[in-house]
Amino acid sequence: MYPAQFEYHSPASVQEAISLLGRLKDDAKLLAGGHSLIPMMKLRLAQPKHVIDIRKIPGLSGIKEDGGAIAIGALTTHYAVESSSLLKQKCALLTETAGTIGDPQVRNMGTVGGSLAHADPAADYPAAAIALGAEVVAEGPKGKRTIKVDDFFKGLLTTALQPDEILVEIRIPSWPVGTGMAYMKFPHPASRFAVVGVAAVVTADGKKVGVGITGAGTKAVRAKGVEAALSGKTLDAAAIKAAAEARSPQQGFLANEFSWR
Amino acid sequence: MTTATRLFGSAIKRREDPRFITGKGTYVDDVKLPGTTHAVFVRSPHAHARIKSVNTAKAKSAPGIVAVFTGQDVQTGPLPCAWLLPGIKIPPRPVLAQGKVRYVGEPVAIVIAESAYAAKDAAELVDVQYEPLPAVVDCQKAHAKSASQLFDDVPENQSFDWSIGDKAKTDDAFKAAAVVVKQRLVNQRLITNAIEPRACAASYAPATGDLTLWVTSQNPHVARLLIAAFVLGMPEHKMRVIAPDVGGGFGSKIPVYNEEVAVCWASKALGRPVKWTAERRESFLTDAHGRDHLTEAEMAFDRSGKILGFRVATHANLGAYLSTMGSLVPSYLYGPLLSGVYTIPAIFCRVWGVLTNTAPTDALRGAGRPEATYMIERLMDLAARTLNMDPVELRKKNFIPADKFPYQTPVAFVYDSGNYGPALDKALEMVGYRKMREEQEKARKNGQYLGIGLSTYIEACGPAPSSVAGALGAQAGLWESALLRVHPTGMVTVFTGSHSHGQGHETTFAQLVADDLGIPMEQVEVVHGDTGSVPFGMGTYGSRSAAVGGSAIYTSLQKIKEKGRKIAAHLLEAAEGDLLYEGGKWSVKGSPDRAKAFGEVALMAYLAHNLPQGMEPGLEVTSFYDPVNFTFPFGTHIAVVEVDPETGHVKILRYVAVDDVGKVINPMIVDGMVHGGITHGVGQALWEWGAYDDQGQLLSATMMDYALPKADQLPSYETARTVTPSPVNPIGVKGAGETGTIASTPAIANAVLDALAPFGVTHIDLPLTPSRIWQAVKAAKK
Amino acid sequence: MKRQIKVTINGVGYSHEVEPRLLLVHYIRDVVGLTGTHIGCDTSQCGACTILLNGMAIKCCTMLAVQADGAEILTIEGVAKDGHLHPIQEGFWEKHGLQCGYCTPGMILAAYQLLQRSPNPSEAEIRHNLEGNLCRCTGYHNIVKSIQYAAQKMAGR
């Protein structure tokens, strides 16, 4: 497979990338890990006239504690997330989620920001980001703004990012010690995308609950019914079963048995 | 020769491996010819449409373009179908579409440029106008008066109506039956997916008129014969076909394909090399697919569980055109297998071969035999449940007894040898059958659903003999060639007409030769895959290489030794009858010091200074070995699975395989083929499905959608063997390339359905995907 | 517009002008001429094109050559050193971890990274780490054994 021709840009800074985006508009696509864009270009389903490679822009990757939150640079790879000792200690949900994405080679290239910005309805991070109550930091010509994850996913492959904005960081609020977190997914046997994936975060006292679901609709969603059914309850088997029954009505499964979309 | 260190039977490391593990293999796409042009095909996006116009003007002026050819330019013979059944209709299959397209992916034009990128760009500029026509995809629906027709002169899209067995006798058996089990079975369409995509590179030399084609083929000579003589109409001897290292075949690299002919034609037209390598999407759309049967099957039993009769009616989906062996697979590779390992007094099988707007179907690992075995073994389990018998007991009760071989089935085959009980017993012992049943009971009480599935299968390898095949419609022989060239220094080059694309012939055949001649393996080299050096041969398919190709080599070996013995006797001044050949030398019985080594005899054969009166110099033999019968490997496979009824997820806990493939030349290689074969069949049971929608669009057209087995979904396998040599060939081998695939699909299916027995689920169609299992459990609970 | 790139492959420096759309795998195979890296699926499932890029196993059919500018690359041709097979290569040979050989270079490089990250992996870990590499011949059984062999050999056991 052979992509169509395009012009390649490798800006040295976020600002330079933003101004390129402002100038080239819809003719341009951002390239980070490339594991969503390049297959589309090889199939010639995407034929951007310009590709803006942001992967080598310094300062956009890394995981650090920042004012009570954990800040993850957009270009941090899935492998860096999966193997981060900070995250293992403070937010094991993300390391667990990252470890289920694609395969080892894909995790070495694919990035957190790329995955969120692509907003694939079967991607894994969105469920975790929703459950954790994450925030997304976008940078545009007017500077940075923070978007709550609940406002970020707008629909199939669509986010709240403006055409001239770049996702630069993901911020995870701090959860109290003893918070339970898990991501479980039913992977498609071929693509390993989530046929359905559920991320759950529950504090030890059961007061604060976050549940995100991916794969089951055109975008990842917060399972508000489940959260409400669990909040403040003693987490015994009966309560969990009742909560599972209270799952929010979905738009129906997009995936069928032979096609992951 | 019964020493413990015999090469025949030893697990010797493969001599082909050093090049592969260092990245030095030479596959077709690695062949770089000076001045090569690159081809890209414009393909039909419609399953069925009339071509209104093809405008190539824009493409012809694209940067880097060399040429664009359409069906109007490429006027050749149609791609042949090589097996003619009575009354068969074989509509012409053009190299590039002529007037109409009949499946998504059918090539319409070939675009040739200085680079593949440029060719791809130019291909997008070819403007084809179509008038879409209604498509037929389901082969039962296509087989109707009201169905849209692919060809005007093929009513109801029926290519053939074939049957085998005794209908009246079978109908009578059903009238006398105490119990009849009946099931509609779907053998879903599979897409082979050898990891190496198909590729070809043609180079025509205008000065000499020689054409060389490098191609991903399992049978280069057959490709040469068909392409040169039947499609291009050029002298066969002016064409050379090279199938170098080939990255897996599994049947998909048997047929002659449009692209291979098109690059040959284009190279002749342009006087430059033309190369094409499939994109994986093209592999999905245009490699010959496999299986795709819809079958009504019923089996009649007496009260004790003895089989009385077996009746089968199958719609076989041939795709839009008949592929090279498209008619053979669902007929003679299918119906004659229906006796399985059982005594079945009466069998009748009818098969309708139906054309549809899908990719042509042909051989896929097992080819016909997995379809038959799945049906038999599924019905045996359904019957065991109906009769309230253990599936093991039911099978044992119906096994063909060991003293009945050779055994004549009611569907043409004569089984060469077999002893089915010991293989079953060994497998039961390995899996711990009784204990496993107890565990299953216990687990069920804890809400865990284990399933144990058996498959006692038979396979037919090395199709034969040529005269019978010819009478049944084959347009080719089924023999194999072997040229043994002994060099003056005693080194041996073996030229085999079979082809290795993973099977390790360079090792096993060298073992066979070195063992028989009593010389070191290092003195033996095996050459295959080049019509320029190898005598005409039939290639590799149907697990035939050892049984037929190996026997051809063995035959040549005997002739070499016969001539060698004459020379040795002459040199030793002894009677031929007094000579003994052992350890690489001829010696006089009783006086081992009077001896001539193989190398000395070889040297004398070429020096020719002192040969027996009238003997020609040289030591070289070509044999054409035509087997007298198929060989019939068999065995028992047992799968243990756990099914989660909440999600439909299937986990394979254990997999035991006991195979009897006759004598084994290299056990390591045989085990490896068994592992791979099992995995292929597990894929069919659980995941793989070449699914078209009603409009004939392929839904699973990438590896993101079509689920191939992955390492983390599988257990390590527990394998063992029994050995029942084949009496039909001189080396006693049977064949091992496909047994695993034939056996494992029903073993897994039976295990899953055994696990779901408490829910009252009796059958789910393949593949047993989570959603199908979940739905079946949900429906059963209602 | 073409771009100048510089890469080091198996210790040898290369510099070429390339079209931005040229895939890294085509660069390695067709421009540099190292054909041991194979193309199987085009959509980053099969792993036949696995190489090490700056020490990380990646699928080079899903990367542009221009993205690799300045990178250190290891392909299958560079795995054996001074004519000596790497223990992983030895393992594949000893344990019959290959048949047609087409997926093998990618398998070996995937295993290379696995054993760097986890020198003594369990069978389950090996199988989990091969989820990005498809083989149609071996059923993975002997590939697992090959990697176990290499792990033992590399640990000096």
Side-chain angles (χ1 to χ4, degrees):
Chain A
M1 284 187 197
Y2 315 93
Q5 278 176 327
F6 56 83
E7 202 162 321
Y8 177 75
H9 308 267
S10 47
S13 68
V14 175
Q15 288 72 25
E16 197 187 324
I18 290 166
S19 75
L20 276 167
L21 269 182
R23 180 160 63 81
L24 303 168
K25 304 220 160 50
D26 288 351
D27 286 346
K29 281 273 182 199
L30 290 181
L31 176 67
H35 275 52
S36 301
L37 181 61
I38 293 176
M40 300 286 276
M41 288 170 65
K42 288 173 70 181
L43 290 161
R44 298 208 171 190
L45 296 171
Q47 299 202 9
K49 291 203 180 84
H50 298 269
V51 168
I52 304 171
D53 184 358
I54 58 171
R55 196 183 174 84
K56 285 176 188 162
I57 295 180
L60 282 185
S61 71
I63 303 163
K64 59 176 193 267
E65 283 187 284
D66 181 14
I70 297 171
I72 304 173
L75 293 182
T76 308
T77 62
H78 307 325
Y79 175 67
V81 172
E82 181 191 2
S83 58
S84 156
S85 49
L86 175 65
L87 287 175
K88 264 182 198 142
Q89 198 192 332
K90 302 258 170 159
C91 188
L93 176 60
L94 278 181
T95 58
E96 190 185 337
T97 305
T100 72
I101 298 171
D103 55 58
Q105 294 96 312
V106 168
R107 294 197 285 276
N108 282 339
M109 276 303 279
T111 66
V112 181
S115 171
L116 290 173
H118 186 56
D120 191 296
D124 298 294
Y125 281 134
I130 287 169
L132 290 164
E135 290 176 334
V136 172
V137 181
E139 191 169 343
K142 291 175 205 151
K144 288 184 184 175
R145 68 177 177 122
T146 301
I147 308 165
K148 285 195 162 43
V149 74
D150 289 85
D151 302 326
F152 183 72
F153 298 110
K154 293 292 186 195
L156 186 73
L157 305 174
T158 326
T159 68
L161 288 173
Q162 294 299 311
D164 56 358
E165 278 184 321
I166 294 176
L167 195 167
V168 291
E169 191 175 88
I170 297 94
R171 299 179 69 82
I172 313 293
S174 109
W175 287 74
V177 175
T179 297
M181 305 178 170
Y183 179 64
M184 287 189 74
K185 89 173 183 186
F186 199 88
H188 186 278
S191 68
R192 296 286 159 111
F193 270 90
V195 174
V196 63
V198 180
V201 182
V202 186
T203 54
D205 59 9
K207 283 191 179 147
K208 216 175 145 197
V209 179
V211 179
I213 300 180
T214 189
T218 54
K219 60 170 189 165
V221 293
R222 181 176 293 283
K224 288 183 182 151
V226 180
E227 290 181 352
L230 283 178
S231 292
K233 299 270 163 56
T234 310
L235 290 185
D236 53 21
I240 291 169
K241 190 162 190 290
E245 298 296 326
R247 66 186 184 274
S248 320
Q250 297 296 331
Q251 291 134 306
F253 285 79
L254 275 186
N256 59 35
E257 47 210 332
F258 35 76
S259 175
W260 60 277
R261 285 188 210 274
Chain B
M1 292 262 292
T2 48
T3 53
T5 52
R6 266 193 72 174
L7 288 168
F8 190 115
S10 291
I12 290 170
K13 283 198 296 178
R14 297 200 322 169
R15 46 169 56 177
E16 32 284 85
D17 288 2
R19 67 176 188 268
F20 293 137
I21 57 180
T22 55
K24 299 284 164 53
T26 305
Y27 301 88
V28 173
D29 193 57
D30 302 338
V31 174
K32 317 266 181 208
L33 304 168
T36 293
T37 63
H38 299 264
V40 162
F41 287 86
V42 176
R43 298 183 182 278
S44 170
H46 299 285
H48 197 191
R50 216 175 301 283
I51 298 172
K52 291 199 298 190
S53 64
V54 184
N55 187 338
T56 60
K58 265 193 190 164
K60 281 178 174 161
S61 60
I65 194 75
V66 175
V68 182
F69 301 113
T70 70
Q72 290 204 320
D73 307 305
V74 183
Q75 296 289 334
T76 66
L79 297 176
C81 170
W83 199 290
L84 309 182
L85 299 171
I88 191 170
K89 293 193 178 70
I90 303 177
R93 181 183 186 188
V95 172
L96 296 177
Q98 304 275 355
K100 228 179 154 190
V101 286
R102 295 180 178 86
Y103 65 99
V104 171
E106 182 167 4
V108 175
I110 179 172
V111 177
I112 300 159
E114 299 293 347
S115 79
Y117 284 79
K120 189 81 183 176
D121 293 344
E124 288 197 326
L125 302 174
V126 175
D127 180 20
V128 188
Q129 294 295 317
Y130 297 97
E131 178 197 338
L133 299 167
V136 285
V137 172
D138 176 296
C139 61
Q140 218 161 351
K141 288 181 189 154
H143 192 221
K145 282 201 171 61
S146 57
S148 167
Q149 243 171 257
L150 273 74
F151 298 89
D152 293 342
D153 50 357
V154 185
E156 296 179 38
N157 297 306
Q158 179 184 297
S159 169
F160 61 82
D161 175 356
W162 176 89
S163 59
I164 193 167
D166 187 332
K167 183 170 189 303
K169 198 177 165 195
T170 308
D171 289 345
D172 288 345
F174 276 81
K175 281 178 202 145
V179 172
V180 171
V181 287
K182 191 169 176 175
Q183 184 63 50
R184 181 174 191 269
L185 292 160
V186 177
N187 213 290
Q188 85 273 27
R189 180 176 286 244
L190 301 181
I191 303 173
T192 315
N193 278 301
I195 305 296
E196 180 203 24
R198 285 196 290 120
C200 45
S203 180
Y204 181 72
T208 60
D210 288 321
L211 175 68
T212 306
L213 173 69
W214 286 261
V215 62
T216 48
S217 175
Q218 299 177 216
N219 29 238
H221 284 95
V222 177
R224 182 185 66 168
L225 173 65
L226 295 181
I227 293 173
F230 291 90
V231 188
L232 290 179
M234 67 175 280
E236 188 186 0
H237 67 287
K238 297 299 278 180
M239 184 173 183
R240 176 178 174 195
V241 175
I242 302 170
D245 289 327
V246 172
F250 316 109
S252 67
K253 292 168 182 171
I254 296 171
V256 169
Y257 286 97
N258 312 60
E259 296 85 0
E260 299 158 6
V261 176
V263 298
C264 288
W265 187 93
S267 180
K268 277 184 98 167
L270 299 170
R272 289 180 65 180
V274 181
K275 182 177 181 180
W276 170 78
T277 302
E279 299 176 7
R280 179 56 58 178
R281 210 180 127 72
E282 293 181 290
S283 311
F284 273 103
L285 291 172
T286 67
D287 283 10
H289 293 179
R291 320 276 195 263
D292 206 346
H293 287 193
L294 299 173
T295 296
E296 300 285 345
E298 45 187 338
M299 212 179 251
F301 293 83
D302 72 10
R303 224 165 278 285
S304 77
K306 276 265 185 199
I307 306 170
L308 300 175
F310 189 16
R311 198 156 53 192
V312 173
T314 293
H315 279 87
N317 198 331
L318 303 173
Y321 301 94
L322 280 122
S323 182
T324 311
M325 289 295 167
S327 51
L328 168 68
V329 175
S331 58
Y332 283 107
L333 290 182
Y334 171 66
L337 266 291
L338 289 174
S339 192
V341 286
Y342 309 115
T343 305
I344 306 180
I347 300 175
F348 181 69
C349 167
R350 185 166 180 186
V351 179
W352 296 278
V354 182
L355 298 164
T356 65
N357 296 111
T358 61
T361 56
D362 204 308
L364 188 153
R365 203 167 194 168
R369 292 152 289 176
E371 292 92 316
T373 306
Y374 168 69
M375 187 183 346
I376 301 164
E377 291 303 292
R378 206 63 270 293
L379 285 178
M380 289 304 275
D381 263 36
L382 284 167
R385 228 190 262 196
T386 307
L387 292 158
N388 201 19
M389 283 175 79
D390 188 298
V392 172
E393 294 319 308
L394 182 67
R395 284 175 169 82
K396 278 191 172 169
K397 193 176 194 77
N398 287 287
F399 274 168
I400 298 161
D403 59 5
K404 297 283 187 202
F405 292 89
Y407 175 80
Q408 172 71 58
T409 73
V411 275
F413 276 156
V414 178
Y415 293 167
D416 58 344
S417 63
N419 192 4
Y420 305 144
L424 172 60
D425 289 338
K426 194 164 190 171
L428 292 172
E429 188 196 317
M430 282 167 71
V431 81
Y433 187 68
R434 284 292 140 222
K435 203 163 152 268
M436 197 52 82
R437 285 284 177 210
E438 286 164 21
E439 267 182 49
Q440 181 183 36
E441 269 312 303
K442 257 190 255 165
R444 277 178 185 168
K445 286 182 188 129
N446 298 327
Q448 281 179 301
Y449 297 91
L450 299 188
I452 305 161
L454 270 97
S455 155
T456 51
Y457 73 94
I458 194 157
E459 133 96 300
C461 296
S466 298
S467 58
V468 173
L472 298 178
Q475 300 300 294
L478 291 171
W479 44 266
E480 195 47 86
S481 69
L483 160 58
L484 248 70
R485 178 171 296 153
V486 181
H487 302 276
T489 51
M491 304 291 156
V492 182
T493 306
V494 183
F495 299 83
T496 172
S498 64
H499 184 271
S500 177
H501 28 281
Q503 294 88 340
H505 295 168
E506 292 166 40
T507 305
T508 35
F509 286 163
Q511 272 177 262
L512 180 66
V513 170
D515 179 86
D516 194 67
L517 292 179
I519 58 176
M521 252 181 91
E522 294 67 37
Q523 288 184 233
V524 185
E525 182 85 6
V526 177
V527 175
H528 63 95
D530 184 351
T531 65
S533 56
V534 179
F536 198 101
M538 302 309 297
T540 287
Y541 47 83
S543 300
R544 69 191 298 275
S545 295
V548 189
S551 296
I553 292 170
Y554 184 85
T555 306
S556 286
L557 280 167
Q558 304 324 304
K559 293 178 191 166
I560 290 284
K561 285 196 296 187
E562 205 177 295
K563 182 167 182 183
R565 173 188 292 267
K566 285 192 167 72
I567 298 171
H570 177 73
L571 295 175
L572 292 166
E573 294 177 348
E576 270 185 66
D578 291 340
L579 292 192
L580 199 66
Y581 188 75
E582 210 173 55
K585 57 187 175 193
W586 285 273
S587 61
V588 179
K589 280 178 201 160
S591 41
D593 291 345
R594 283 182 66 200
K596 285 286 168 196
F598 180 74
E600 292 176 272
V601 169
L603 184 61
M604 184 51 69
Y606 285 93
L607 289 176
H609 298 165
N610 185 12
L611 290 178
Q613 185 88 43
M615 179 183 273
E616 284 178 33
L619 196 53
E620 174 170 320
V621 167
T622 302
S623 299
F624 295 85
Y625 172 82
D626 197 358
V628 296
N629 192 2
F630 285 64
T631 63
F632 296 90
F634 59 89
T636 297
H637 286 209
I638 304 179
V640 182
V641 303
E642 182 176 355
V643 182
D644 179 354
E646 296 285 317
T647 61
H649 178 71
V650 176
K651 183 169 188 204
I652 305 169
L653 301 176
R654 289 181 63 193
Y655 196 97
V656 169
V658 178
D659 298 292
D660 193 320
V661 297
K663 285 197 188 176
V664 168
I665 302 171
N666 186 324
M668 176 193 82
I669 286 177
V670 167
D671 286 345
M673 286 199 269
V674 169
H675 299 151
I678 292 169
T679 306
H680 217 134
V682 172
Q684 169 162 27
L686 296 179
W687 305 296
E688 297 186 33
W689 185 8
Y692 281 96
D693 71 9
D694 291 343
Q695 275 74 52
Q697 293 294 332
L698 186 62
L699 297 170
S700 47
T702 72
M703 284 193 189
M704 287 188 279
D705 306 298
Y706 188 96
L708 297 165
K710 298 188 183 189
D712 61 348
Q713 297 164 312
L714 301 163
S716 279
Y717 303 123
E718 302 160 58
T719 58
R721 267 188 289 279
T722 59
V723 179
T724 309
S726 173
V728 305
N729 63 60
I731 48 178
V733 300
K734 289 193 167 182
E738 298 164 293
T739 54
T741 308
I742 292 164
S744 68
T745 306
I748 296 284
N750 285 340
V752 170
L753 288 153
D754 183 51
L756 296 176
F759 297 99
V761 176
T762 53
H763 183 75
I764 306 173
D765 277 326
L766 302 176
L768 305 170
T769 59
S771 74
R772 286 180 170 192
I773 290 171
W774 181 74
Q775 280 165 16
V777 170
K778 217 168 74 164
K781 275 183 174 167
K782 271 183 190 162
Chain C
M1 205 171 60
K2 285 197 172 182
R3 281 252 179 171
Q4 187 78 27
I5 62 163
K6 275 187 185 164
V7 292
T8 305
I9 304 178
N10 306 328
V12 180
Y14 297 91
S15 178
H16 290 97
E17 274 216 326
V18 299
E19 267 195 292
R21 63 168 167 169
L22 182 71
L23 296 169
L24 181 56
V25 69
H26 290 140
Y27 175 74
I28 293 171
R29 287 180 54 78
D30 301 333
V31 179
V32 178
L34 294 170
T35 56
T37 303
H38 297 148
I39 301 172
C41 75
D42 292 312
T43 51
S44 83
Q45 265 70 41
C46 82
C49 67
T50 300
I51 58 165
L52 259 61
L53 182 99
N54 297 327
M56 304 279 251
I58 62 123
K59 296 178 174 176
C60 66
C61 81
T62 306
M63 186 166 185
L64 305 169
V66 286
Q67 286 179 284
D69 187 18
E72 290 256 2
I73 289 170
L74 178 70
T75 71
I76 187 65
E77 289 91 344
V79 173
K81 289 268 181 290
D82 309 321
H84 294 291
L85 293 179
H86 187 279
I88 300 171
Q89 292 171 312
E90 245 178 69
F92 273 74
W93 195 9
E94 288 290 335
K95 296 294 172 186
H96 190 32
L98 63 147
Q99 289 177 33
C100 80
Y102 198 78
C103 76
T104 310
M107 285 284 177
I108 287 174
L109 284 154
Y112 193 100
Q113 171 173 278
L114 165 63
L115 295 179
Q116 269 181 346
R117 289 179 179 176
S118 176
N120 187 21
S122 66
E123 176 176 343
E125 200 179 346
I126 294 173
R127 287 182 178 275
H128 180 63
N129 274 279
L130 292 179
E131 66 183 331
N133 292 77
L134 295 173
C135 171
R136 204 54 157 159
C137 295
T138 64
Y140 308 100
H141 181 105
N142 283 343
I143 292 178
V144 172
K145 301 262 182 288
S146 304
I147 297 171
Q148 287 170 332
Y149 174 98
Q152 292 217 348
K153 179 111 195 209
M154 287 162 79
R157 272 169 283 162

